[in-house]
Amino acid sequence: MNSSPPVAPPRAGTDDRLVERGPGIRSGLRDLPAHLNLSTVGAAVVATVFGCTGPALIIINGAGDAGLSASQTASWIFGVYVFGGLNSLLLALYYKQPIAGAWSIPGAVLVVDALGTFTLGELVGAYLVSGALVLLLALTGVLRRVMTWLPGPIIMAMIAGALVEFAIGVVETGRAAPWIVASALAGYLLVTRFSKKIPGVVGALVASVVAAGLTGAFVGIDPDTRLAVPALVVPTFDWGAVLAVSVPLTVLIIGAENAQATGALMAASYRPPINSMSLLSGLSGLAAAGFGGHTANIAGPMTAICTSRDAGPETGRYAAAVLNGILFIAFGVVSSVAVAFVTALPVELVTSVAGLAMITVLLSSFQGAFGSSRFQIGAFFALVIAMSGVSIAGISSPFWALLGGVTASLLLEFDQFRDRADHSD
């Protein structure tokens, strides 16, 4: 029986410029209309629904528990969504890659906990320090060198472990809302099987919306919802806040969020502009902090949705990230009203559609992690650690997965690092 050749793990780009060269925004804008179709629009809508439902509630609930005003909450949401959306527009259009910007969900959890200890002004000061640290690290080029040095299988295993929870969520959600999940599955399978023009995730979204409507699963909208105007927040600086928030937030951005997005792009055979992604994350993080936003970086899950095969041919998937960015910006501008409508969607619908959207990314990630014979022990360690969801010192599992995977490979597969160095000479 013939065996298939081993899958070569993808690698990051090798452009050493501070800002990697791309086709340019003019080229991205010129070709954009040709790539706006059901596939890219469907992926953008799924990514937007995912990013504007549960994650937004983390901010809203945390701000409410901390006693923040409606204007302060609206400013927080404005900062993270508008500048995260701008990241999508700039990077996707310039590089013509499906790079989606947003903000750190684990970072929001970290900040919500810190609101009980520090004032909003002190936290904004910590956000500014974090943005400056990310920018400084990007200017040195160290982040690109680290991501280029990391073995591809370990990165792919981290992505697989971090995103597999979304696929598992489809199964777990089926117990709470069987009709919605069954409809999403049926829509995905039938459309994927019988249509070459309509992506399966669109079938899942339409079928689950219909099922939610028929079963009365939509949540009522508060009729007293009013538009709140965002405002700038004056920072103050506290060493305690810097140590407790700035440092773990910086590690989250570069070691978890941007690393996830980089891995998702590599799994789809793109060469991500690692340094530009980091530079813009630092700059947009500084801008978002002015409105009380904790981060504005590159989003792993949303990038994964936009890079999936359901988003159409590789050359046009960047249109999904562009549209996702536009929708995020619009959401941020009218957040106090938009949240009420988006969160009317049942959580089971969002979970099932998002999980199905991850299928092709997960397949590519597992193939990239275990399709060759190299760095397999490190890849296994990275997979298990990422799947565990462990969080230490406020830093989520993707960072620890990379650290654990590399450590295991250095101890048990060091000869493969040496062989790789010899071949690169």
Side-chain angles (χ1 to χ4, degrees), residues 107-304:
V109 175
L110 171 72
V111 167
V112 166
D113 291 339
L115 278 169
T117 306
F118 304 103
T119 66
L120 180 60
E122 289 170 341
L123 288 178
V124 169
Y127 305 159
L128 288 170
V129 172
S130 176
L133 287 173
V134 173
L135 181 60
L136 179 62
L137 289 169
L139 289 172
T140 64
V142 66
L143 299 180
R144 176 172 53 204
R145 288 194 292 271
V146 169
M147 289 302 297
T148 303
W149 173 81
L150 286 174
I154 293 177
I155 298 175
M156 294 298 101
M158 178 272 288
I159 290 297
L163 298 183
V164 75
E165 65 172 302
F166 296 105
I168 295 173
V170 178
V171 180
E172 294 177 341
T173 303
R175 294 181 294 179
W179 288 110
I180 293 177
V181 176
S183 298
L185 282 168
Y188 181 88
L189 294 172
L190 289 173
V191 170
T192 301
R193 174 64 180 84
F194 294 107
S195 175
K196 294 183 178 179
K197 295 183 178 181
I198 303 175
V201 71
V202 172
L205 180 61
V206 172
S208 59
V209 167
V210 172
L214 293 176
T215 57
F218 286 102
V219 180
I221 297 174
D222 185 357
D224 296 326
T225 300
R226 297 288 184 271
L227 184 65
V229 179
L232 292 171
V233 181
V234 178
T236 56
F237 294 92
D238 178 87
W239 278 111
V242 169
L243 293 174
V245 176
S246 300
V247 175
L249 199 57
T250 300
V251 176
L252 274 173
I253 294 169
I254 62 178
E257 303 297 340
N258 285 16
Q260 281 190 64
T262 298
L265 290 162
M266 289 167 59
S269 300
Y270 294 98
R271 289 187 174 271
I274 297 170
N275 220 55
S276 295
M277 291 162 61
S278 302
L279 281 168
L280 200 55
S281 293
L283 291 171
S284 58
L286 290 171
F291 293 90
H294 63 290
T295 63
N297 47 266
I298 312 305
M302 274 68 85
T303 297

Side-chain angles (χ1 to χ4, degrees), residues 288-363:
F291 293 90
H294 63 290
T295 63
N297 47 266
I298 312 305
M302 274 68 85
T303 297
I305 292 172
C306 293
T307 60
S308 69
R309 286 197 290 270
D310 283 328
E314 287 182 20
T315 54
R317 292 176 194 168
Y318 79 93
V322 171
L323 183 55
N324 177 226
I326 293 172
L327 293 173
F328 267 14
I329 292 171
F331 181 84
V333 170
V334 295
S335 58
S336 54
V337 174
V339 165
F341 287 91
V342 174
T343 53
L345 294 172
V347 65
E348 295 84 3
L349 184 155
V350 177
T351 301
S352 58
V353 174
L356 292 169
M358 299 291 179
I359 288 178
T360 58
V361 178
L362 283 167
L363 289 173

Side-chain angles (χ1 to χ4, degrees), residues 4-180:
S4 59
V7 178
R11 296 295 303 275
T14 56
D15 191 338
D16 290 331
R17 298 177 182 86
L18 182 63
V19 176
E20 293 94 338
R21 182 175 295 174
I25 290 180
R26 182 178 298 179
S27 175
L29 287 171
R30 183 186 63 239
D31 297 339
L32 183 63
H35 299 305
L36 289 173
N37 50 53
L38 194 57
S39 296
T40 53
V41 172
V45 170
V46 171
T48 302
V49 169
F50 173 81
C52 295
T53 48
L57 286 177
I58 294 174
I59 294 178
I60 294 168
N61 293 337
D65 293 341
L68 299 187
S69 66
S71 177
Q72 290 171 327
T73 304
S75 297
W76 186 352
I77 296 175
F78 174 88
V80 296
Y81 279 99
V82 169
F83 292 103
L86 284 173
N87 286 346
S88 294
L89 287 182
L90 294 173
L91 290 169
L93 284 173
Y94 185 80
Y95 292 103
K96 299 176 80 169
Q97 296 185 29
I99 306 169
W103 47 277
S104 172
I105 297 173
V109 175
L110 171 72
V111 167
V112 166
D113 291 339
L115 278 169
T117 306
F118 304 103
T119 66
L120 180 60
E122 289 170 341
L123 288 178
V124 169
Y127 305 159
L128 288 170
V129 172
S130 176
L133 287 173
V134 173
L135 181 60
L136 179 62
L137 289 169
L139 289 172
T140 64
V142 66
L143 299 180
R144 176 172 53 204
R145 288 194 292 271
V146 169
M147 289 302 297
T148 303
W149 173 81
L150 286 174
I154 293 177
I155 298 175
M156 294 298 101
M158 178 272 288
I159 290 297
L163 298 183
V164 75
E165 65 172 302
F166 296 105
I168 295 173
V170 178
V171 180
E172 294 177 341
T173 303
R175 294 181 294 179
W179 288 110
I180 293 177

